[in-house]
Amino acid sequence: MSRIVRDPAVLEGYARDASGLRHVPEGLARPASRAELVEVLREAAAAGAAVTPAGAQTSTTGASLAARGLLLSLRAMDRVLDVDPARRLARVEAGALLGTLNHALAGEALFFAPDPTSDETCTLGGAIACNASGPRTLLYGATRAHVRALTVALADGTVREFRRPVVEKNTVGYQPTHDLVDWFVGSEGTLGVVVEAELALLPRPERETGIGIAFPGLVDALAFVRAARASTAIRPRCLEYFDAEAFRIARTHADDPAWGADGQVMIYAEDCAPGALDIDAWLALAEAHGAPDADMRVFEGEAAIRTARRLRHAVPATMHERTAPYLATGGRRISTDWAVPLAHAEEALLLSDGFAIEAGLPPAVTYGHLGNGHPHQNWVARDPDEVARHEAVVERTLRAVIQLGGTVAAEHGIGKLKARWLGLQANASQVALMRAAKREFDPEGRMAPGNILA
Ligand SMILES: Cc1cc2nc3c(=O)[nH]c(=O)nc-3n(C[C@H](O)[C@H](O)[C@H](O)COP(=O)(O)OP(=O)(O)OC[C@H]3O[C@@H](n4cnc5c(N)ncnc54)[C@H](O)[C@@H]3O)c2cc1C
């Protein structure tokens, strides 16, 4: 295989993602064109080698690591191929960064709405393969809703084009067969390689305002979140939660010690409704839900919103930093990605804290998409024993989450780390259906082994 790198020093650079797992690939391919990519897949097929596609390797679940065989990096295929402002569409290569697309759209008054916190560092192919989402999913939905068509390369090198049907009604057979774009979005590299994508764009809002509000605790913050979602006076685009520790991290990065007291939590919201910001409506709602002094920060305009996003990003980034010293001794960051119906968010978090206390572990640092009933919990596990104890707590939490009508993975996918929990969520028939889809596109089971269907 002419294009395959076997140098151990180079391979080591592709052995880790943000999961804390380590898998050194047996070889590495970095195609710079569709033709090269197809050639690599054909050669891999002839050799019976497994292939795991990878973008920027920001996966938190080990999905971007090659458990066996080759790692196929898409980073060299990074062009924004075409922007059609009139039809509000963009065509991109899979290795283009999500942030790069939005920078390219700056002059068009358009934007690509999915906003994983990692938007400046993750590829569009990776976002599609994980159905990535972010704070603004509250208003815009996840990546799936913004993908119009995909060009994919299958394990044998065959290139296929899938386009969403434009009919508005369809009664032909089982719904999961109606739209093959949906099969590939969220398939984590297990069905084939996303080569190019046609993406839907939205008009950029005329005004964007971020609002950070301190609350005495989770109960008040949640009551505010529910009220904000139900309100007709305001229309939040995101409702993000920072527990006391996450708020402390954000304050440190904001260099704003006067904001909030120790023990207080924070909700970060964005308002982009047409017209001027109705700050009085936000203040009234906050004060009605336990923020009597309305300790509020307003981030007006694009640059200020970017600052606010940096504060939000500081939380997972800090948890990564805190974990880094323990990676070499078998520790890693433990993070959850479950979601529950908003009505059960408090119950789920309290249950989980209780499980941690029973196991003699510290409470999690909790932050994220509370507006979607989707908080992230993070812990630093310092060695394999702590990893095992934390994972037992996570599994108890996930079982409770399922009972509450939730999901074990709401945005980071299943990957390798959560594959053992697939059976908590999907029953035997649902798993069999997934296996049948996998057999259809990848009959030899060579694509992204270990992801989803371990
Ligand atoms: C600090 C931090 C914050 C994050 N915040 C968020 C967040 O807010 N929301 C969120 O959803 N995620 C988040 N993530 C997770 C991650 O960034 C996303 O899942 C992202 O979409 C992965 O993109 P990537 O290019 O890094 O893909 P990779 O990590 O390289 O790969 C991820 C998966 O996609 C597959 N894949 C990649 N490219 C292709 C392709 N071209 N064809 C087929 N399969 C492919 C891989 O096989 C793998 O299964 C965060 C991660 C970090 C480290």
Side-chain angles (χ1 to χ4, degrees):
M1 287 188 198
S2 54
R3 297 177 198 284
I4 308 302
V5 178
R6 304 276 181 192
D7 178 347
V10 178
L11 298 182
E12 190 62 45
Y14 292 79
R16 284 193 184 275
D17 57 16
S19 65
L21 299 181
R22 179 174 171 272
H23 287 284
V24 183
E26 291 164 22
L28 168 71
R30 293 179 284 199
S33 69
R34 187 192 293 198
E36 280 182 27
L37 188 150
V38 166
E39 192 184 327
V40 169
L41 287 171
R42 284 191 185 140
E43 289 181 8
V51 177
T52 300
Q57 296 199 281
T58 62
S59 168
T60 61
T61 66
S64 76
L65 304 179
R68 58 187 167 83
L70 304 179
L71 193 83
L72 177 65
S73 171
L74 274 291
R75 286 306 312 278
M77 296 178 63
D78 61 355
R79 289 175 300 161
V80 175
L81 297 169
D82 185 41
V83 175
D84 183 339
R87 295 169 65 216
R88 292 187 193 150
L89 292 173
R91 187 153 191 97
V92 297
E93 288 186 320
L97 296 182
L98 198 161
T100 302
L101 173 61
N102 273 328
H103 296 309
L105 293 170
E108 304 288 354
L110 294 169
F111 75 115
F112 181 62
D115 68 329
T117 314
S118 50
D119 59 352
E120 293 290 345
T121 50
C122 78
T123 66
L124 286 156
I128 291 164
C130 295
N131 189 25
S133 55
R136 296 170 191 161
T137 294
L138 186 71
L139 184 61
Y140 303 126
T143 297
R144 183 182 300 283
H146 306 272
V147 179
R148 289 286 158 271
L150 292 176
T151 303
V152 301
L154 302 183
D156 62 1
T158 311
V159 174
R160 303 271 300 270
E161 180 86 24
F162 298 115
R163 182 162 286 282
R164 286 205 186 278
V166 285
V167 287
E168 290 175 9
K169 301 172 81 176
N170 185 354
T171 56
V172 179
Y174 305 138
Q175 191 274 337
T177 64
H178 288 182
D179 184 351
L180 293 180
V181 169
D182 271 334
W183 289 29
F184 280 81
V185 177
S187 63
E188 299 184 30
T190 59
L191 299 183
V193 186
V194 175
V195 182
E196 289 175 18
E198 185 179 290
L199 304 172
L201 308 173
L202 294 180
R204 207 175 274 274
E206 283 167 17
R207 176 186 59 77
E208 298 175 301
T209 311
I211 301 160
I213 311 167
F215 287 90
L218 171 67
V219 174
D220 292 306
L222 246 174
F224 171 78
V225 164
R226 288 196 197 101
R229 284 205 62 169
S231 170
T232 50
I234 57 170
R235 186 165 176 245
R237 158 163 94 168
C238 67
L239 289 163
E240 294 285 297
Y241 176 65
F242 293 63
D243 79 356
E245 178 59 10
F247 189 17
R248 206 188 57 72
I249 293 170
R251 274 202 306 265
T252 310
H253 283 76
D255 201 15
D256 186 359
W259 182 15
D262 256 2
Q264 284 196 310
V265 306
M266 194 258 281
I267 295 291
Y268 173 74
E270 284 176 9
D271 180 311
C272 60
L277 173 72
D278 187 351
I279 191 75
D280 290 341
W282 281 95
L283 269 172
L285 204 67
E287 288 181 357
H289 293 90
D293 301 328
D295 194 356
M296 188 185 270
R297 293 289 180 279
V298 174
F299 301 84
E300 191 67 66
E302 209 184 314
I305 293 258
R306 263 201 305 279
T307 302
R309 278 185 76 84
R310 194 174 47 75
L311 305 185
R312 165 69 175 75
H313 190 75
V315 182
T318 301
M319 295 309 289
H320 274 298
E321 279 164 25
R322 288 180 184 175
T323 312
Y326 305 108
L327 288 177
T329 50
R332 65 177 165 80
R333 182 172 78 124
I334 305 290
S335 64
T336 65
D337 182 31
W338 52 262
V340 287
L342 186 52
H344 294 304
E346 182 187 348
E347 190 180 351
L349 283 170
L350 291 179
L351 279 170
S352 186
D353 279 352
F355 298 151
I357 289 165
E358 276 176 44
L361 295 168
V365 175
T366 303
Y367 62 95
H369 326 299
L370 199 56
N372 283 122
H374 180 207
H376 292 297
Q377 299 168 292
N378 276 206
W379 292 271
V380 175
R382 292 170 297 183
D383 54 43
D385 174 57
E386 280 192 8
V387 169
R389 286 164 63 208
H390 275 102
E391 291 213 318
V393 168
V394 171
E395 181 159 330
R396 282 187 80 184
T397 304
L398 295 181
R399 287 180 186 279
V401 157
I402 297 292
Q403 292 301 315
L404 295 171
T407 171
V408 302
E411 75 180 7
H412 292 185
I414 291 285
K416 296 177 180 62
L417 272 183
K418 296 178 191 156
R420 78 193 119 133
W421 293 319
L422 179 71
L424 296 182
Q425 183 79 50
N427 66 28
S429 309
Q430 290 166 317
V431 174
L433 194 61
M434 290 189 211
R435 289 195 189 283
K438 166 97 174 141
R439 267 196 309 278
E440 181 63 25
F441 288 106
D442 177 24
E444 294 168 359
R446 289 187 296 102
M447 293 305 301
N451 285 359
I452 307 179
L453 298 160

